[in-house]
């Protein structure tokens, strides 16, 4: 619940104070009456070096010493008067305290990583967040730290409520002051909302979250969604991401996504940027869907499954016309669609070398299957040979 401005945060304070707090380098115990933070605090009402304290807490947390990190925060909070001004002066440190609590450093016992966040730890973090919010000491990172763990623990309703309340707040209250931080909060809100499959008006809520993030960034909702499509697809799934783009036709939506993927990859190549893995995968997989529709198939199937759709080979005895060699001209003298499709797949395969997909067995298999299904047997052999050489390098 929400505590009063002067009530001590006993629920999230470490039970061991004397002798538990070490120096920054962990060499020797700190005397009970000394200034534990060395952060410029001169007692109640004095300004605190919040960035320095936060950095020290973060170092302890990275070393797995969450209880000690939390002790630093509690001592500084108490020495600063434990009033509203103290919370407002400790915004960064509060974020570190929340992360330490969620790792199990307060109340829930020692633990590392998200799995250390017990129900009591999450509740303790919510209590600290509530106290800080009441005092005006929260930031988007404060809410994001708690919401991420709520999502991991399946408490999506609470995560969505928390993110939406913070996201739609006025920038003047300090909760939505940074566009980059608010974007992260918006993505968390959308991830939480996306998991609520039975929520009434779910798509409207997703658009509202996107709209608020776009407003903070100073752009339009549609452009914000389009520029983050691959991130949204990873968080929400293919169906919801496409609906956010107003791609409502199941067949046409694949072509829409393929065009967006090609646009993204070509732009990244021209600007020397690293493309999104999702865009590269889409080029490889969706090119096959488009080819099947041209051939008379339904183009169905799972976009996220391997696109092994029946290569043309010696065992194909159904009387279909074998493909023209890659590079051949179409009957009307234009560009052969197969040559274009092979070029698109090779573009994705080449750009994947600058990402974590290079050498991924599933991606290599997708590329090889797609090339062979298009009649690009020579290109397939060359690609697989080079992939094997790189994997053994």
């Amino acid at each position: 619940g929400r505590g009063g401005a002067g009530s001590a945060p006993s629920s999230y304070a470490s039970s061991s104070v004397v002798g538990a707090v070490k120096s920054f380098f962990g060499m020797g115990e700190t005397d009970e009456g000394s200034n534990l933070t060395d952060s410029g605090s001169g007692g109640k009402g004095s300004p605190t070096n919040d960035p320095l304290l936060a950095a020290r807490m973060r170092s302890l947390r990275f070393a797995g010493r969450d209880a000690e990190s939390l002790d630093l925060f509690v001592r500084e909070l108490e020495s600063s008067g434990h009033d509203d001004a103290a919370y407002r002066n400790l915004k960064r440190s509060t974020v570190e305290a929340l992360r330490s609590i969620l790792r199990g450093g307060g109340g829930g016992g020692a633990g590392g990583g998200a799995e250390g966040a017990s129900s009591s730890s999450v509740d303790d973090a919510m209590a600290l967040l509530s106290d800080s919010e009441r005092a005006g000491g929260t930031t988007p990172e404060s809410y994001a730290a708690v919401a991420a763990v709520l999502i991991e623990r399946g408490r999506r309703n609470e995560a969505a409520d928390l993110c939406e309340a913070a996201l739609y707040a006025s920038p003047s209250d300090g909760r939505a002051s940074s566009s980059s931080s608010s974007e992260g909060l918006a993505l968390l809100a959308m991830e939480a909302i996306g998991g609520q499959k039975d929520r009434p008006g779910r798509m409207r809520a997703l658009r509202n979250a996107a709209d608020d993030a776009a407003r903070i960034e100073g752009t339009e909702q549609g452009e914000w969604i389009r520029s983050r499509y691959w991130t949204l697809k990873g968080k929400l799934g293919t169906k919801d991401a496409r609906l956010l783009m107003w791609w409502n036709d199941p067949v046409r939506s694949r072509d829409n996504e393929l065009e967006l993927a090609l646009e993204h990859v070509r732009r990244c190549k021209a600007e020397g940027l690293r493309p999104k893995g999702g865009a590269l995968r889409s080029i490889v997989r969706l090119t096959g869907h488009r080819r099947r529709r041209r051939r008379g198939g339904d183009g169905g199937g799972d976009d996220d499954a391997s696109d092994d759709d029946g290569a043309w080979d010696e065992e194909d005895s159904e009387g279909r016309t074998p493909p023209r060699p890659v590079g051949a001209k179409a009957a009307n003298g234009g560009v052969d669609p197969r040559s274009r499709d092979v070029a698109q797949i090779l573009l994705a395969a080449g750009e994947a070398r600058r990402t974590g997909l290079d050498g991924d067995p599933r991606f290599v298999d997708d590329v090889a299957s797609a090339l062979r299904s298009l009649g690009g047997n020579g290109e397939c052999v060359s690609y697989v040979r080079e992939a094997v050489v790189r994997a053994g390098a």
Side-chain angles (χ1 to χ4, degrees), residues 235-289:
K235 290 185 176 293
L236 303 177
T238 300
K239 181 178 179 180
D240 283 350
R242 289 178 178 176
L243 288 176
L244 282 174
M245 292 286 290
W246 298 103
W247 296 340
N248 300 324
D249 182 272
V251 176
R252 179 58 185 165
S253 65
R254 295 192 182 104
D255 291 336
N256 294 142
E257 183 172 300
L258 178 57
E259 291 168 7
L260 183 64
L262 288 167
E263 175 188 314
H264 169 78
V265 171
R266 286 165 178 160
R267 184 178 68 251
C268 287
K269 181 178 181 180
E271 298 177 1
L273 302 176
R274 182 178 299 174
K276 296 286 187 180
L280 298 172
R281 288 190 184 276
S282 289
I283 291 174
V284 173
R285 292 171 178 169
L286 296 181
T287 296
H289 283 293

Side-chain angles (χ1 to χ4, degrees), residues 100-383:
S100 290
I101 293 171
L102 293 167
R103 279 170 50 99
E115 65 274 11
S118 64
S119 294
S120 61
S121 294
V122 175
D123 292 340
D124 289 345
M126 293 287 283
L128 173 56
L129 183 65
S130 179
D131 287 345
S132 181
E133 180 183 50
R134 173 189 44 73
T138 51
T139 65
E141 290 91 341
S142 306
Y143 294 95
V146 178
V149 174
L150 288 173
I151 292 173
E152 290 173 2
R153 295 190 60 81
R155 296 166 62 172
R156 291 180 176 271
N157 291 349
E158 295 172 77
D161 291 343
L162 184 66
C163 289
E164 289 178 275
L167 196 59
Y168 304 146
S170 169
S172 62
D173 67 5
R175 291 191 285 179
S177 57
S178 165
S179 61
S180 59
S181 299
S182 296
E183 176 180 329
L185 198 58
L187 291 172
L188 280 172
M190 296 177 78
E191 183 177 0
I193 295 167
Q196 299 173 299
K197 300 302 182 183
D198 297 328
R199 172 173 173 161
R202 190 169 63 92
M203 288 305 300
R204 185 182 305 110
L206 287 172
R207 292 189 187 282
N208 287 342
D211 189 62
D212 196 78
R215 174 181 54 79
I216 294 171
E217 190 178 272
T219 187
E220 295 296 325
Q221 179 199 112
E223 179 57 34
W224 189 90
I225 292 173
R226 182 182 179 85
S227 64
R228 290 156 183 81
Y229 176 80
W230 306 107
T231 299
L232 292 171
K233 182 180 178 181
K235 290 185 176 293
L236 303 177
T238 300
K239 181 178 179 180
D240 283 350
R242 289 178 178 176
L243 288 176
L244 282 174
M245 292 286 290
W246 298 103
W247 296 340
N248 300 324
D249 182 272
V251 176
R252 179 58 185 165
S253 65
R254 295 192 182 104
D255 291 336
N256 294 142
E257 183 172 300
L258 178 57
E259 291 168 7
L260 183 64
L262 288 167
E263 175 188 314
H264 169 78
V265 171
R266 286 165 178 160
R267 184 178 68 251
C268 287
K269 181 178 181 180
E271 298 177 1
L273 302 176
R274 182 178 299 174
K276 296 286 187 180
L280 298 172
R281 288 190 184 276
S282 289
I283 291 174
V284 173
R285 292 171 178 169
L286 296 181
T287 296
H289 283 293
R290 184 168 65 183
R291 184 185 69 83
R292 281 202 302 274
R293 289 202 305 278
R294 288 200 308 266
R295 198 176 64 192
D298 62 6
D302 182 0
D303 290 346
D304 293 325
S306 179
D307 191 20
D308 185 2
D309 57 345
W312 295 84
D313 57 23
E314 296 81 4
E315 297 178 0
D316 189 349
S317 57
E318 298 179 7
R320 294 179 293 185
T321 302
R324 289 185 298 274
V326 172
K329 293 291 185 180
N332 61 4
V335 177
D336 176 24
R338 289 181 181 276
S339 297
R340 180 197 60 197
D341 290 348
V342 167
Q344 289 176 179
I345 292 172
L346 291 177
L347 168 67
E351 290 303 293
R353 297 183 63 173
R354 299 195 288 123
T355 73
L357 281 180
D358 188 41
D360 182 303
R362 187 176 178 183
F363 182 76
V364 172
D365 183 64
D366 285 346
V367 172
S369 296
L371 287 173
R372 190 160 185 267
S373 72
L374 289 166
N377 294 326
E379 288 82 356
C380 175
V381 171
S382 296
Y383 169 74

